[in-house]
Amino acid sequence: MVGSNYKSVYRRDPAGIWSRLAFDRPLYGGYNQLRLVTGPVLLNDGSFVVIQGDTIYRRVGDAWISIGVSPGLAFTSGSDYRRMAKLANGDLVVSSSRLTQINSVPVNQIARWNGQTWSAMGSGFTGSVCTNIAPAPNGDLIAVGYFTGVDGG
């Protein structure tokens, strides 16, 4: 989708604070600017993670283990977005335009897995969808999309 007119770019620092990155014009071509990961993601323990249908699987040795299930992960149209990113500390972040819960944990388009449990990342995105997430070298998480705010802002 090169040429998409994204409304927002936000950065989340390791302390969990989201801040809007200012641009003097719409951000075009976001797909070419971020390193996108839809899977697999290599975790710090050597295992890797993929999304298949409505389930996130972790490969450990010779076995696939389900670590997260959500109807919001299943594709229903070409406008659905599913992305994964590994943070510097090894946590996995999953974003989907329709993600409202994962393993019964309420979330708003974005969730974090610390290797054992899922959690919401603040109150999530408002206005519309997050289309891309990517880790920054300094440990921040970058989120790009058509949303108008994050964590209620």
Side-chain angles (χ1 to χ4, degrees):
M1 288 187 53
V2 174
S4 292
N5 182 353
Y6 296 120
K7 288 184 177 182
S8 299
V9 178
Y10 279 78
R11 178 183 67 227
R12 186 175 199 267
D13 67 29
I17 307 298
W18 286 99
S19 58
R20 187 178 182 127
L21 301 178
F23 287 94
D24 63 350
R25 65 185 67 103
L27 176 68
Y28 291 94
Y31 278 88
N32 290 332
Q33 307 304 317
L34 295 176
R35 181 176 169 264
L36 303 179
V37 179
T38 57
V41 171
L42 182 64
L43 299 178
N44 289 352
D45 66 1
S47 65
F48 63 92
V49 177
V50 297
I51 298 175
Q52 177 64 40
D54 66 354
T55 305
I56 300 171
Y57 292 99
R58 178 178 174 204
R59 180 76 176 188
V60 180
D62 292 333
W64 289 103
I65 300 168
S66 170
I67 62 169
V69 177
S70 174
L73 292 172
F75 277 117
T76 59
S77 73
S79 63
D80 288 345
Y81 298 94
R82 302 186 310 181
R83 299 287 183 245
M84 294 190 294
K86 183 180 80 170
L87 301 178
N89 70 352
D91 286 5
L92 178 71
V93 176
V94 174
S95 176
S96 171
S97 57
R98 298 182 317 105
L99 188 63
T100 58
Q101 59 87 17
I102 190 162
N103 285 4
S104 300
V105 175
V107 299
N108 186 7
Q109 296 189 48
I110 190 163
R112 183 177 190 154
W113 185 64
N114 67 6
Q116 300 198 354
T117 59
W118 287 98
S119 62
M121 294 184 72
S123 60
F125 302 106
T126 57
S128 193
V129 298
C130 173
T131 56
N132 299 317
I133 58 173
N138 66 354
D140 291 353
L141 179 69
I142 307 298
V144 177
Y146 301 103
F147 55 94
T148 56
V150 66
D151 279 350

